[in-house]
Amino acid sequence: MGSCDTCPSKGTCGSSGSECNSTCSKTFPRYGKIKNIIGVISGKGGVGKSTVTGIMATTLAKKGYKVGVLDADITGPSMPRFFGINDKRAMIIPLENEMVRFDPVETNNGIKVISMNLLTAVEDQPVIWRGPVITGVLNQMFVETNWGELDYLLIDMPPGTGDIALTVMQEFPVSEVIVVSTPQDMVSMIVKKLVIMAEKIGIKIKGVVENMAYINCPDCDKKIRVFSKKSSEEHAEYLGLPLIGELPINTDLTEALENGKAEEYVKDNDLYSLIFEALY
Ligand code: ADP
C-alpha cells in the first residue's frame, strides 16, 4: 500500500465521500501525483487499443494536459513504436535498500512513457515470464516510475480478461476505462465480456471507441463500412455503452506509425482532435 497523498481518488473514495478511506487497499505510485488514471481496454487483440491510447494521449497533451502512458502490455508492448521512441531507454536508477526508480522516456510532446520495451536491452528481446512475475513487474512499473505531476495517466492494457486486466482494475486507483472495439459482431461479443467484468468490479466505463469502422472512398469521400453493415451506434448499443466516436481505417496513420511519426500525424489531424479533445 502506498501513500494516500498520490492517490487520484483522494477525497472521493471515503465512506463519507470526502475523506480518504483508511481501509483502502489500492496501490499508488510512489513518485509524483496523478489526478486521473484512465485504463484503455479491449476484449480482443488487434482492434487498435494501443493506437487509440496513443491518439488519446497525444490529443490530451495537445490540449495542454500533462500526460503519461503506462504500457501494461508487458509481453506485447507497442507504445514506444507509436511515439517513435523505441530506440530510447528509460533510466533505471538504483536507490537504497535495493529499490529502483524508473525515469520514463518523454515524447516530442512531453508525454511520459514507460514500457517493457524501454526497459529491455533491445526492443525485440522477449520476456519469458509466467503470470505472477508479469503482474509483479507491472506493479513495479506503475509504483516506481517517476511520473511527476500528471493530469492523466493512460494505461494501455493487454487484451482480454486475464491477470493483468484484473490487477489494474482491482488494485490500481483507476478513475474510469475507455473501451476500444471494432464494429464486428464477433469482436463485440468478446469485448462485452470485458465490459461485464469491469462492471462487476465496479469500474466506471466512459464509453466505446469503434476503431476501423470505415474507409473513406478516395473518389467520393463516402464512408464505406468494411466489416459490418451495422452502424457503430448499433454496436455501442449492444455493448450498452455511449459511443465516444468512430475512427476510419487510415493508411496514412499506419505509414506514420511505421516511420515513428504517429504523434506528429495525430496532432495535426482534426478528426482525432475533435473526438478525443472533447473527452476531458
Ligand atoms: P491492439 O493494441 O488492440 O492489439 P494495435 O493498436 O496494436 O492493436 O493495432 C493493431 C494494428 O492495426 C497496428 O498495426 C496498427 O497500426 C493498426 N491500426 C490500428 N488502428 C488503425 C486505424 N484506425 N487505421 C489503420 N491502421 C490501424
Side-chain angles (χ1 to χ4, degrees):
M1 206 191 301
S3 156
C4 292
D5 288 344
T6 53
C7 175
S9 305
K10 189 176 183 232
T12 60
C13 67
S15 51
S16 66
S18 60
E19 285 172 11
C20 208
N21 188 343
S22 57
T23 60
C24 176
S25 59
K26 298 277 180 191
T27 304
F28 308 109
R30 201 184 302 277
Y31 307 104
K33 277 192 177 168
I34 304 173
K35 289 189 190 147
N36 302 283
I37 298 180
I38 315 287
V40 184
I41 63 174
S42 102
K44 207 169 182 323
V47 299
K49 174 188 43 60
S50 304
T51 307
V52 168
T53 306
I55 294 173
M56 252 183 83
T58 306
T59 51
L60 291 180
K62 181 181 161 189
K63 201 174 170 183
Y65 289 124
K66 295 193 187 81
V67 181
V69 172
L70 169 62
D71 190 348
D73 201 344
I74 305 287
T75 53
S78 56
M79 292 319 306
R81 282 256 165 174
F82 181 95
F83 291 109
I85 52 171
N86 42 310
D87 57 346
K88 302 202 171 148
R89 286 289 158 272
M91 295 283 285
I92 304 175
I93 315 287
L95 304 171
E96 283 172 16
N97 301 329
E98 297 184 358
M99 305 260 287
V100 289
R101 191 190 74 217
F102 303 126
D103 283 355
V105 175
E106 280 197 35
T107 72
N108 286 342
N109 290 292
I111 298 166
K112 292 178 177 167
V113 184
I114 197 80
S115 166
M116 202 60 223
N117 263 12
L118 298 172
L119 293 166
T120 49
V122 286
E123 191 194 22
D124 49 13
Q125 188 178 322
V127 290
I128 308 168
W129 297 329
R130 292 192 189 273
V133 178
I134 293 177
T135 308
V137 169
L138 173 66
N139 211 61
Q140 202 176 9
M141 281 162 65
F142 174 62
V143 174
E144 315 293 357
T145 292
N146 190 10
W147 296 112
E149 301 238 332
L150 293 182
D151 295 306
Y152 290 98
L153 175 69
L154 306 185
I155 305 185
D156 179 29
M157 309 256 269
T161 51
D163 268 3
I164 295 269
L166 259 177
T167 297
V168 172
M169 287 196 213
Q170 287 186 317
E171 294 176 20
F172 295 1
V174 172
S175 321
E176 59 186 8
V177 293
I178 302 239
V179 176
V180 181
S181 186
T182 54
Q184 293 165 278
D185 282 352
M186 171 73 96
V187 174
S188 294
M189 178 272 290
I190 297 168
V191 169
K192 185 142 187 179
K193 290 178 192 286
L194 191 64
V195 169
I196 292 169
M197 172 174 140
E199 283 167 354
K200 281 198 169 149
I201 295 173
I203 300 267
K204 192 175 155 210
I205 306 176
K206 181 92 172 169
V208 58
V209 175
E210 291 288 353
N211 188 32
M212 306 195 223
Y214 61 92
I215 51 169
N216 275 315
C217 170
D219 299 319
C220 65
D221 215 33
K222 197 176 155 199
K223 286 182 182 177
I224 301 169
R225 301 207 167 264
V226 192
F227 294 130
S228 164
K229 290 200 173 109
K230 281 187 205 158
S231 66
S232 293
E233 283 81 2
E234 283 172 279
H235 283 279
E237 199 179 318
Y238 166 76
L239 294 172
L241 299 176
L243 178 66
I244 293 170
E246 55 172 5
L247 302 181
I249 294 178
N250 181 351
T251 46
D252 289 342
L253 171 65
T254 322
E255 198 185 327
L257 242 152
E258 279 164 8
N259 296 322
K261 303 258 184 260
E263 193 181 15
E264 278 145 70
Y265 176 79
V266 166
K267 213 174 142 199
D268 296 335
N269 187 298
D270 290 343
L271 173 67
Y272 300 137
S273 305
L274 196 72
I275 295 174
F276 293 99
E277 284 182 21
L279 260 185
Y280 297 106

Short mmCIF file of all heavy atoms in Angstrom, two decimals, residues 165-222:
data_model
loop_
_atom_site.label_atom_id
_atom_site.label_comp_id
_atom_site.label_asym_id
_atom_site.label_seq_id
_atom_site.Cartn_x
_atom_site.Cartn_y
_atom_site.Cartn_z
N ALA A 165 -5.38 -7.42 -16.59
CA ALA A 165 -6.58 -6.58 -16.58
C ALA A 165 -7.19 -6.57 -15.18
O ALA A 165 -7.59 -5.51 -14.66
CB ALA A 165 -7.58 -7.09 -17.61
N LEU A 166 -7.22 -7.74 -14.55
CA LEU A 166 -7.76 -7.84 -13.19
C LEU A 166 -6.94 -7.02 -12.20
O LEU A 166 -7.48 -6.27 -11.39
CB LEU A 166 -7.75 -9.30 -12.74
CG LEU A 166 -9.06 -10.06 -12.83
CD1 LEU A 166 -8.84 -11.51 -12.43
CD2 LEU A 166 -10.12 -9.43 -11.93
N THR A 167 -5.61 -7.16 -12.30
CA THR A 167 -4.72 -6.43 -11.38
C THR A 167 -4.94 -4.93 -11.50
O THR A 167 -5.12 -4.23 -10.51
CB THR A 167 -3.23 -6.75 -11.69
OG1 THR A 167 -3.03 -8.13 -11.47
CG2 THR A 167 -2.28 -5.95 -10.83
N VAL A 168 -4.94 -4.45 -12.76
CA VAL A 168 -5.06 -3.00 -12.96
C VAL A 168 -6.41 -2.51 -12.43
O VAL A 168 -6.48 -1.53 -11.70
CB VAL A 168 -4.89 -2.64 -14.46
CG1 VAL A 168 -5.21 -1.17 -14.69
CG2 VAL A 168 -3.46 -2.94 -14.92
N MET A 169 -7.47 -3.23 -12.80
CA MET A 169 -8.80 -2.75 -12.41
C MET A 169 -9.05 -2.87 -10.92
O MET A 169 -9.74 -2.05 -10.32
CB MET A 169 -9.87 -3.52 -13.17
CG MET A 169 -9.94 -3.12 -14.63
SD MET A 169 -11.49 -3.70 -15.30
CE MET A 169 -11.06 -4.07 -16.94
N GLN A 170 -8.49 -3.91 -10.28
CA GLN A 170 -8.78 -4.10 -8.86
C GLN A 170 -7.81 -3.36 -7.95
O GLN A 170 -8.19 -2.88 -6.90
CB GLN A 170 -8.74 -5.59 -8.51
CG GLN A 170 -9.93 -6.34 -9.06
CD GLN A 170 -9.97 -7.79 -8.60
OE1 GLN A 170 -8.95 -8.46 -8.58
NE2 GLN A 170 -11.15 -8.26 -8.25
N GLU A 171 -6.53 -3.27 -8.38
CA GLU A 171 -5.52 -2.79 -7.44
C GLU A 171 -5.05 -1.36 -7.70
O GLU A 171 -4.57 -0.70 -6.79
CB GLU A 171 -4.32 -3.75 -7.43
CG GLU A 171 -4.73 -5.11 -6.88
CD GLU A 171 -3.62 -6.14 -6.93
OE1 GLU A 171 -2.44 -5.77 -7.03
OE2 GLU A 171 -3.95 -7.34 -6.91
N PHE A 172 -5.14 -0.90 -8.95
CA PHE A 172 -4.71 0.46 -9.23
C PHE A 172 -5.92 1.40 -9.07
O PHE A 172 -7.05 1.01 -9.39
CB PHE A 172 -4.15 0.60 -10.65
CG PHE A 172 -2.88 -0.19 -10.91
CD1 PHE A 172 -2.30 -0.98 -9.93
CD2 PHE A 172 -2.25 -0.12 -12.15
CE1 PHE A 172 -1.14 -1.70 -10.18
CE2 PHE A 172 -1.08 -0.83 -12.41
CZ PHE A 172 -0.53 -1.62 -11.43
N PRO A 173 -5.69 2.64 -8.63
CA PRO A 173 -6.83 3.56 -8.45
C PRO A 173 -7.30 4.15 -9.77
O PRO A 173 -7.15 5.34 -10.05
CB PRO A 173 -6.26 4.63 -7.51
CG PRO A 173 -4.79 4.56 -7.68
CD PRO A 173 -4.41 3.20 -8.15
N VAL A 174 -7.89 3.29 -10.60
CA VAL A 174 -8.35 3.69 -11.94
C VAL A 174 -9.63 4.51 -11.81
O VAL A 174 -10.58 4.07 -11.15
CB VAL A 174 -8.60 2.43 -12.81
CG1 VAL A 174 -9.26 2.79 -14.12
CG2 VAL A 174 -7.30 1.68 -13.05
N SER A 175 -9.64 5.70 -12.42
CA SER A 175 -10.84 6.55 -12.34
C SER A 175 -11.93 6.00 -13.24
O SER A 175 -13.10 5.96 -12.87
CB SER A 175 -10.52 7.98 -12.78
OG SER A 175 -9.25 8.38 -12.33
N GLU A 176 -11.55 5.61 -14.46
CA GLU A 176 -12.53 5.04 -15.39
C GLU A 176 -11.78 4.36 -16.54
O GLU A 176 -10.57 4.52 -16.68
CB GLU A 176 -13.49 6.10 -15.92
CG GLU A 176 -12.84 7.24 -16.63
CD GLU A 176 -13.84 8.32 -17.02
OE1 GLU A 176 -15.00 8.25 -16.60
OE2 GLU A 176 -13.43 9.24 -17.74
N VAL A 177 -12.54 3.61 -17.35
CA VAL A 177 -11.91 2.96 -18.50
C VAL A 177 -12.62 3.37 -19.79
O VAL A 177 -13.78 3.74 -19.79
CB VAL A 177 -11.90 1.41 -18.39
CG1 VAL A 177 -11.00 0.94 -17.28
CG2 VAL A 177 -13.30 0.85 -18.23
N ILE A 178 -11.83 3.29 -20.87
CA ILE A 178 -12.35 3.53 -22.22
C ILE A 178 -12.23 2.19 -22.96
O ILE A 178 -11.18 1.55 -22.90
CB ILE A 178 -11.48 4.58 -22.93
CG1 ILE A 178 -11.49 5.86 -22.12
CG2 ILE A 178 -11.84 4.74 -24.41
CD1 ILE A 178 -11.96 7.07 -22.70
N VAL A 179 -13.28 1.81 -23.62
CA VAL A 179 -13.28 0.52 -24.33
C VAL A 179 -13.00 0.76 -25.81
O VAL A 179 -13.54 1.70 -26.41
CB VAL A 179 -14.66 -0.17 -24.17
CG1 VAL A 179 -14.72 -1.46 -24.96
CG2 VAL A 179 -14.95 -0.44 -22.69
N VAL A 180 -12.12 -0.06 -26.38
CA VAL A 180 -11.86 0.02 -27.82
C VAL A 180 -12.35 -1.27 -28.46
O VAL A 180 -12.09 -2.37 -27.96
CB VAL A 180 -10.35 0.22 -28.11
CG1 VAL A 180 -10.11 0.32 -29.61
CG2 VAL A 180 -9.83 1.46 -27.41
N SER A 181 -13.09 -1.11 -29.57
CA SER A 181 -13.62 -2.27 -30.27
C SER A 181 -13.61 -1.99 -31.77
O SER A 181 -13.24 -0.89 -32.20
CB SER A 181 -15.06 -2.53 -29.77
OG SER A 181 -15.57 -3.73 -30.31
N THR A 182 -13.97 -2.99 -32.53
CA THR A 182 -14.22 -2.76 -33.96
C THR A 182 -15.66 -3.21 -34.23
O THR A 182 -16.15 -4.12 -33.55
CB THR A 182 -13.24 -3.54 -34.87
OG1 THR A 182 -13.29 -4.93 -34.51
CG2 THR A 182 -11.82 -3.05 -34.73
N PRO A 183 -16.34 -2.58 -35.18
CA PRO A 183 -17.75 -2.90 -35.39
C PRO A 183 -17.95 -4.23 -36.10
O PRO A 183 -18.28 -4.28 -37.28
CB PRO A 183 -18.26 -1.72 -36.22
CG PRO A 183 -17.07 -1.13 -36.86
CD PRO A 183 -15.88 -1.50 -36.04
N GLN A 184 -17.75 -5.30 -35.38
CA GLN A 184 -17.96 -6.66 -35.89
C GLN A 184 -18.65 -7.44 -34.78
O GLN A 184 -18.25 -7.34 -33.61
CB GLN A 184 -16.62 -7.35 -36.17
CG GLN A 184 -15.83 -6.74 -37.31
CD GLN A 184 -14.39 -7.22 -37.29
OE1 GLN A 184 -13.56 -6.71 -36.55
NE2 GLN A 184 -14.08 -8.21 -38.09
N ASP A 185 -19.65 -8.24 -35.12
CA ASP A 185 -20.40 -8.97 -34.09
C ASP A 185 -19.49 -9.83 -33.22
O ASP A 185 -19.61 -9.87 -32.00
CB ASP A 185 -21.47 -9.86 -34.74
CG ASP A 185 -22.68 -9.03 -35.15
OD1 ASP A 185 -22.72 -7.83 -34.81
OD2 ASP A 185 -23.57 -9.58 -35.83
N MET A 186 -18.56 -10.54 -33.88
CA MET A 186 -17.66 -11.45 -33.14
C MET A 186 -16.83 -10.67 -32.12
O MET A 186 -16.69 -11.07 -30.96
CB MET A 186 -16.74 -12.17 -34.13
CG MET A 186 -15.63 -12.95 -33.50
SD MET A 186 -16.26 -14.42 -32.73
CE MET A 186 -15.96 -15.57 -34.05
N VAL A 187 -16.28 -9.51 -32.55
CA VAL A 187 -15.44 -8.70 -31.65
C VAL A 187 -16.30 -8.14 -30.52
O VAL A 187 -15.94 -8.21 -29.34
CB VAL A 187 -14.74 -7.57 -32.43
CG1 VAL A 187 -13.99 -6.65 -31.48
CG2 VAL A 187 -13.78 -8.15 -33.47
N SER A 188 -17.48 -7.61 -30.88
CA SER A 188 -18.36 -7.02 -29.86
C SER A 188 -18.71 -8.04 -28.79
O SER A 188 -18.73 -7.72 -27.60
CB SER A 188 -19.66 -6.52 -30.50
OG SER A 188 -19.38 -5.45 -31.37
N MET A 189 -18.93 -9.29 -29.21
CA MET A 189 -19.30 -10.34 -28.25
C MET A 189 -18.16 -10.55 -27.24
O MET A 189 -18.39 -10.65 -26.04
CB MET A 189 -19.60 -11.63 -29.03
CG MET A 189 -19.96 -12.83 -28.18
SD MET A 189 -18.55 -13.78 -27.63
CE MET A 189 -17.98 -14.53 -29.15
N ILE A 190 -16.91 -10.56 -27.75
CA ILE A 190 -15.77 -10.79 -26.85
C ILE A 190 -15.52 -9.56 -25.98
O ILE A 190 -15.23 -9.67 -24.78
CB ILE A 190 -14.52 -11.19 -27.67
CG1 ILE A 190 -14.80 -12.53 -28.37
CG2 ILE A 190 -13.30 -11.32 -26.78
CD1 ILE A 190 -13.80 -12.92 -29.43
N VAL A 191 -15.66 -8.37 -26.60
CA VAL A 191 -15.46 -7.13 -25.84
C VAL A 191 -16.48 -7.04 -24.71
O VAL A 191 -16.18 -6.56 -23.61
CB VAL A 191 -15.52 -5.90 -26.79
CG1 VAL A 191 -15.58 -4.60 -26.00
CG2 VAL A 191 -14.31 -5.89 -27.73
N LYS A 192 -17.69 -7.52 -25.00
CA LYS A 192 -18.75 -7.43 -23.97
C LYS A 192 -18.37 -8.18 -22.69
O LYS A 192 -18.73 -7.76 -21.60
CB LYS A 192 -20.07 -7.97 -24.53
CG LYS A 192 -21.23 -7.78 -23.57
CD LYS A 192 -22.51 -7.42 -24.24
CE LYS A 192 -23.57 -7.07 -23.19
NZ LYS A 192 -24.82 -6.69 -23.76
N LYS A 193 -17.60 -9.26 -22.84
CA LYS A 193 -17.16 -9.99 -21.64
C LYS A 193 -16.36 -9.05 -20.72
O LYS A 193 -16.52 -9.07 -19.51
CB LYS A 193 -16.26 -11.18 -22.03
CG LYS A 193 -17.00 -12.31 -22.72
CD LYS A 193 -16.01 -13.39 -23.11
CE LYS A 193 -16.61 -14.42 -24.03
NZ LYS A 193 -17.54 -15.34 -23.39
N LEU A 194 -15.47 -8.25 -21.34
CA LEU A 194 -14.64 -7.35 -20.55
C LEU A 194 -15.48 -6.23 -19.94
O LEU A 194 -15.24 -5.79 -18.81
CB LEU A 194 -13.53 -6.76 -21.44
CG LEU A 194 -12.43 -6.00 -20.71
CD1 LEU A 194 -11.64 -6.91 -19.79
CD2 LEU A 194 -11.48 -5.35 -21.70
N VAL A 195 -16.47 -5.78 -20.71
CA VAL A 195 -17.37 -4.73 -20.21
C VAL A 195 -18.09 -5.24 -18.96
O VAL A 195 -18.15 -4.56 -17.93
CB VAL A 195 -18.39 -4.32 -21.30
CG1 VAL A 195 -19.48 -3.43 -20.73
CG2 VAL A 195 -17.67 -3.61 -22.45
N ILE A 196 -18.56 -6.49 -19.03
CA ILE A 196 -19.27 -7.07 -17.88
C ILE A 196 -18.31 -7.23 -16.69
O ILE A 196 -18.65 -6.95 -15.55
CB ILE A 196 -19.93 -8.42 -18.27
CG1 ILE A 196 -21.06 -8.15 -19.27
CG2 ILE A 196 -20.46 -9.15 -17.04
CD1 ILE A 196 -21.63 -9.39 -19.93
N MET A 197 -17.07 -7.63 -17.01
CA MET A 197 -16.08 -7.78 -15.93
C MET A 197 -15.83 -6.44 -15.24
O MET A 197 -15.83 -6.35 -14.01
CB MET A 197 -14.77 -8.33 -16.51
CG MET A 197 -13.63 -8.35 -15.53
SD MET A 197 -12.19 -9.16 -16.26
CE MET A 197 -10.88 -8.13 -15.66
N ALA A 198 -15.65 -5.37 -16.05
CA ALA A 198 -15.39 -4.04 -15.48
C ALA A 198 -16.58 -3.61 -14.61
O ALA A 198 -16.39 -3.08 -13.51
CB ALA A 198 -15.14 -3.04 -16.60
N GLU A 199 -17.78 -3.88 -15.10
CA GLU A 199 -18.98 -3.50 -14.33
C GLU A 199 -19.03 -4.26 -13.01
O GLU A 199 -19.35 -3.70 -11.98
CB GLU A 199 -20.23 -3.77 -15.17
CG GLU A 199 -20.44 -2.70 -16.24
CD GLU A 199 -21.48 -3.09 -17.30
OE1 GLU A 199 -21.97 -4.24 -17.29
OE2 GLU A 199 -21.78 -2.24 -18.14
N LYS A 200 -18.66 -5.56 -13.07
CA LYS A 200 -18.69 -6.37 -11.83
C LYS A 200 -17.70 -5.84 -10.80
O LYS A 200 -17.95 -5.86 -9.61
CB LYS A 200 -18.36 -7.83 -12.16
CG LYS A 200 -19.56 -8.56 -12.73
CD LYS A 200 -19.38 -10.06 -12.65
CE LYS A 200 -20.71 -10.73 -12.98
NZ LYS A 200 -20.62 -11.99 -13.61
N ILE A 201 -16.53 -5.39 -11.30
CA ILE A 201 -15.51 -4.87 -10.38
C ILE A 201 -15.92 -3.47 -9.87
O ILE A 201 -15.43 -3.01 -8.86
CB ILE A 201 -14.13 -4.83 -11.08
CG1 ILE A 201 -13.68 -6.25 -11.42
CG2 ILE A 201 -13.07 -4.15 -10.24
CD1 ILE A 201 -12.43 -6.33 -12.26
N GLY A 202 -16.85 -2.85 -10.59
CA GLY A 202 -17.32 -1.52 -10.14
C GLY A 202 -16.53 -0.38 -10.75
O GLY A 202 -16.43 0.70 -10.18
N ILE A 203 -15.94 -0.62 -11.93
CA ILE A 203 -15.16 0.42 -12.61
C ILE A 203 -16.09 1.20 -13.55
O ILE A 203 -16.87 0.59 -14.29
CB ILE A 203 -14.03 -0.22 -13.46
CG1 ILE A 203 -13.09 -1.01 -12.57
CG2 ILE A 203 -13.30 0.82 -14.29
CD1 ILE A 203 -11.90 -0.29 -12.07
N LYS A 204 -15.96 2.52 -13.51
CA LYS A 204 -16.78 3.35 -14.39
C LYS A 204 -16.28 3.23 -15.83
O LYS A 204 -15.07 3.28 -16.07
CB LYS A 204 -16.67 4.79 -13.91
CG LYS A 204 -17.68 5.71 -14.52
CD LYS A 204 -17.56 7.10 -13.90
CE LYS A 204 -18.10 8.11 -14.89
NZ LYS A 204 -17.47 9.40 -14.78
N ILE A 205 -17.21 3.06 -16.78
CA ILE A 205 -16.81 2.96 -18.20
C ILE A 205 -17.28 4.22 -18.91
O ILE A 205 -18.46 4.54 -18.91
CB ILE A 205 -17.42 1.71 -18.87
CG1 ILE A 205 -17.07 0.45 -18.06
CG2 ILE A 205 -16.93 1.57 -20.30
CD1 ILE A 205 -17.72 -0.82 -18.58
N LYS A 206 -16.32 4.92 -19.49
CA LYS A 206 -16.64 6.20 -20.15
C LYS A 206 -17.44 5.96 -21.44
O LYS A 206 -18.34 6.71 -21.77
CB LYS A 206 -15.33 6.92 -20.46
CG LYS A 206 -15.48 8.26 -21.11
CD LYS A 206 -15.51 9.33 -20.07
CE LYS A 206 -15.48 10.71 -20.67
NZ LYS A 206 -15.78 11.73 -19.67
N GLY A 207 -17.06 4.96 -22.20
CA GLY A 207 -17.73 4.69 -23.47
C GLY A 207 -16.84 3.86 -24.36
O GLY A 207 -15.79 3.37 -23.93
N VAL A 208 -17.28 3.68 -25.60
CA VAL A 208 -16.52 2.83 -26.52
C VAL A 208 -16.08 3.63 -27.75
O VAL A 208 -16.82 4.48 -28.26
CB VAL A 208 -17.36 1.59 -26.94
CG1 VAL A 208 -18.68 1.97 -27.59
CG2 VAL A 208 -16.57 0.67 -27.88
N VAL A 209 -14.86 3.37 -28.17
CA VAL A 209 -14.36 3.89 -29.45
C VAL A 209 -14.44 2.75 -30.45
O VAL A 209 -13.87 1.69 -30.22
CB VAL A 209 -12.89 4.37 -29.32
CG1 VAL A 209 -12.36 4.82 -30.68
CG2 VAL A 209 -12.77 5.49 -28.30
N GLU A 210 -15.19 2.94 -31.53
CA GLU A 210 -15.26 1.92 -32.58
C GLU A 210 -14.18 2.27 -33.61
O GLU A 210 -14.28 3.26 -34.33
CB GLU A 210 -16.66 1.90 -33.23
CG GLU A 210 -17.75 1.38 -32.29
CD GLU A 210 -17.69 -0.14 -32.03
OE1 GLU A 210 -16.88 -0.84 -32.67
OE2 GLU A 210 -18.45 -0.60 -31.16
N ASN A 211 -13.12 1.46 -33.61
CA ASN A 211 -11.97 1.71 -34.49
C ASN A 211 -12.14 0.93 -35.79
O ASN A 211 -12.84 -0.08 -35.83
CB ASN A 211 -10.69 1.29 -33.76
CG ASN A 211 -9.44 1.69 -34.50
OD1 ASN A 211 -9.40 2.72 -35.20
ND2 ASN A 211 -8.39 0.91 -34.37
N MET A 212 -11.49 1.41 -36.82
CA MET A 212 -11.52 0.77 -38.15
C MET A 212 -12.96 0.58 -38.61
O MET A 212 -13.32 -0.46 -39.19
CB MET A 212 -10.78 -0.58 -38.13
CG MET A 212 -9.35 -0.46 -37.60
SD MET A 212 -8.38 -1.90 -37.97
CE MET A 212 -7.51 -2.18 -36.45
N ALA A 213 -13.81 1.56 -38.33
CA ALA A 213 -15.24 1.44 -38.59
C ALA A 213 -15.57 1.60 -40.07
O ALA A 213 -16.58 1.11 -40.54
CB ALA A 213 -16.00 2.49 -37.78
N TYR A 214 -14.70 2.29 -40.81
CA TYR A 214 -14.98 2.55 -42.23
C TYR A 214 -13.69 2.98 -42.93
O TYR A 214 -12.68 3.26 -42.27
CB TYR A 214 -16.04 3.65 -42.37
CG TYR A 214 -15.65 4.98 -41.77
CD1 TYR A 214 -15.01 5.96 -42.53
CD2 TYR A 214 -15.89 5.26 -40.42
CE1 TYR A 214 -14.64 7.18 -41.98
CE2 TYR A 214 -15.52 6.49 -39.87
CZ TYR A 214 -14.90 7.44 -40.65
OH TYR A 214 -14.52 8.64 -40.10
N ILE A 215 -13.75 3.01 -44.25
CA ILE A 215 -12.70 3.71 -45.00
C ILE A 215 -13.39 4.82 -45.79
O ILE A 215 -14.57 4.69 -46.14
CB ILE A 215 -11.91 2.79 -45.97
CG1 ILE A 215 -12.85 1.97 -46.86
CG2 ILE A 215 -10.95 1.90 -45.25
CD1 ILE A 215 -12.13 1.27 -47.99
N ASN A 216 -12.68 5.89 -46.02
CA ASN A 216 -13.22 6.96 -46.84
C ASN A 216 -12.93 6.65 -48.30
O ASN A 216 -11.77 6.43 -48.67
CB ASN A 216 -12.55 8.29 -46.48
CG ASN A 216 -13.23 8.95 -45.30
OD1 ASN A 216 -14.47 9.02 -45.23
ND2 ASN A 216 -12.44 9.43 -44.37
N CYS A 217 -13.97 6.62 -49.14
CA CYS A 217 -13.75 6.40 -50.57
C CYS A 217 -12.86 7.53 -51.10
O CYS A 217 -13.17 8.71 -50.89
CB CYS A 217 -15.09 6.37 -51.31
SG CYS A 217 -14.86 6.39 -53.09
N PRO A 218 -11.74 7.18 -51.75
CA PRO A 218 -10.83 8.25 -52.23
C PRO A 218 -11.45 9.12 -53.31
O PRO A 218 -11.01 10.25 -53.53
CB PRO A 218 -9.62 7.46 -52.77
CG PRO A 218 -10.11 6.07 -52.99
CD PRO A 218 -11.27 5.84 -52.07
N ASP A 219 -12.51 8.61 -53.98
CA ASP A 219 -13.11 9.39 -55.08
C ASP A 219 -14.26 10.27 -54.61
O ASP A 219 -14.32 11.45 -54.93
CB ASP A 219 -13.58 8.44 -56.19
CG ASP A 219 -12.41 7.65 -56.75
OD1 ASP A 219 -11.34 8.28 -56.93
OD2 ASP A 219 -12.53 6.44 -56.96
N CYS A 220 -15.19 9.66 -53.84
CA CYS A 220 -16.39 10.44 -53.46
C CYS A 220 -16.42 10.80 -51.98
O CYS A 220 -17.34 11.45 -51.51
CB CYS A 220 -17.66 9.69 -53.83
SG CYS A 220 -17.84 8.17 -52.87
N ASP A 221 -15.41 10.32 -51.21
CA ASP A 221 -15.32 10.60 -49.77
C ASP A 221 -16.44 9.96 -48.95
O ASP A 221 -16.60 10.27 -47.78
CB ASP A 221 -15.27 12.11 -49.50
CG ASP A 221 -14.36 12.41 -48.31
OD1 ASP A 221 -13.38 11.66 -48.13
OD2 ASP A 221 -14.64 13.37 -47.57
N LYS A 222 -17.22 9.07 -49.62
CA LYS A 222 -18.28 8.36 -48.89
C LYS A 222 -17.65 7.37 -47.90
O LYS A 222 -16.57 6.84 -48.16
CB LYS A 222 -19.13 7.60 -49.92
CG LYS A 222 -20.47 7.16 -49.43
CD LYS A 222 -21.27 6.49 -50.54
CE LYS A 222 -22.27 5.56 -49.88
NZ LYS A 222 -22.78 4.56 -50.77
#
